[in-house]
Amino acid sequence: MFHEWFSGEDAQKAATEDNQANAGSLNNNFYIRNAEIENEKYELTSDTLIFVLDGAQLKPADYQQFVQEDITDRLFRLSLVGDKVVLLEEAYRP
């Protein structure tokens, strides 16, 4: 997966190009472009290191609790070894 993060005037320009000129994130001076239509799926295991945001700080998350959460509107960075997720970190979005 590849995402592009734009800020300032570049955010407005990219959002306009994507027909998203009223994207809510523009109020915070950023825009994230996800050009891929399909999402890849990866399986997390209990030994995956998971970090979620608490305010603007990352904190470790309990695997069992995390897999029960709705993470639909959250952004994460994945670190893979082969096809195994070894690290999952939530990305800060202003």
Side-chain angles (χ1 to χ4, degrees):
M1 290 183 276
F2 180 71
H3 296 70
E4 295 176 276
W5 183 296
F6 299 91
S7 60
E9 291 178 14
D10 292 336
Q12 185 66 53
K13 181 180 175 186
T16 300
E17 289 171 357
D18 293 348
N19 294 317
Q20 298 294 320
N22 295 319
S25 63
L26 292 171
N27 294 330
N28 291 322
N29 209 27
F30 76 96
Y31 176 71
I32 299 171
R33 175 184 285 157
N34 179 7
E36 294 184 17
I37 302 300
E38 292 185 31
N39 291 318
E40 295 180 38
K41 293 184 180 185
Y42 295 96
E43 183 177 343
L44 300 181
T45 63
S46 60
D47 62 340
T48 301
L49 297 174
I50 303 170
F51 292 88
V52 296
L53 288 172
D54 181 7
Q57 298 292 320
L58 287 171
K59 69 174 186 176
D62 174 73
Y63 171 80
Q64 291 298 329
Q65 186 177 8
F66 179 79
V67 297
Q68 295 176 18
E69 292 181 27
D70 178 14
I71 60 169
T72 305
D73 293 325
R74 294 162 66 184
L75 181 64
F76 290 88
R77 289 190 231 21
L78 299 155
S79 295
L80 303 169
V81 173
D83 60 352
K84 181 179 178 184
V85 179
V86 295
L87 176 64
L88 183 70
E89 295 177 293
E90 187 171 4
Y92 176 75
R93 294 187 302 176

